[in-house]
Amino acid sequence: MKTISSLFNEERNQLQTDIDNTTSIEQIVKLVQNRLDNLERIYIEKLNLAQVRLASFFLDTLRQSIATLAAANYSQVAPTEQKQFTNPSTNLFSSRLILKLLKGLIYIGILGSLFSLTKTTPGAWMAILLTSLLLGVEVVLQLDLKNEQNSISSELLELPKPLLRVDSKVFLDHLGDALNTIDLAVARVEEWNKHEGDLAIEELPELLNFLQRLMGASKLDKPQMAYELAKLLPQILMSQGINAQVYRSNSDRNYFDFEPSIDPDTKEHVTLTPALLKGDRLIRRGRVIEPAYSSARE
């Protein structure tokens, strides 16, 4: 019988490729859960009832743990953080406008004074030319500074987009460890069932005590004492998890062997020996005498 770990290892490479090609966490969760469903369907075919229940419990828990990955999400920038980039520029706009107006008035005053000097001092034209060049340089510098500030502001406002990824190798390593734990638990159930079936009578003290007392009653020739001891049998069996089932009309017929009654007047089923069950597992079939008409009808 293949373990669920070996089944998982056969499909691991393809599963890792599928995870690497998937960017959505929700899709990864759905992908892995569907793969676990397929593994479980193949794995439990060769298990007994107790092992199926245990494996299904662990796999359901594993699916719920994997589903918590869907809680991971991208964090968004709060509106208050965006205001930190926009508010300072609006506060400085008015002061910069006033400063530019003052600079313009100063340049106009200087140029006016120089033009008034051209009538008496021909060299004033050189000062006018230099002042005009200085004004042009100032304008170019202001334009460059404004463009640089705009580019910086746009870079600050354009926050890098977060990218949420799943490390497929680490994720599948942990998933493989979890599946290996399920294999160990299922194997222990199988070992316990084998050990339970190999128990010798000396390892059942309740049964030995009952047999000892029953033999004592038979030696003393006290049938009433033996009858009272027989009433303790269901309690002894229940201490070992065994249930004695007497046949009734709604009982499962697969638990019993039926023999027709030799008395044609018999109308009731008579349980000769009850069926012994441990949980849902049949240990010993019971024997039942059924009315003759019942066997003839069947």
Side-chain angles (χ1 to χ4, degrees), residues 100 103-104 107 111 130-148:
K100 289 180 180 180
K103 286 183 177 181
Y107 280 121
L111 289 174
L130 293 175
T131 304
S132 300
L133 290 174
L134 179 61
L135 179 60
V137 171
E138 177 68 19
V139 172
V140 172
L141 290 176
Q142 289 296 331
L143 291 175
D144 290 342
L145 180 60
K146 185 176 181 180
N147 292 334
E148 185 178 355

Side-chain angles (χ1 to χ4, degrees), residues 5-20:
S5 297
S6 61
L7 294 173
F8 168 73
N9 289 331
E10 292 176 358
E11 302 184 6
R12 171 167 177 157
N13 292 334
Q14 181 60 44
L15 181 58
Q16 184 171 354
T17 302
D18 294 340
I19 292 176
D20 291 336

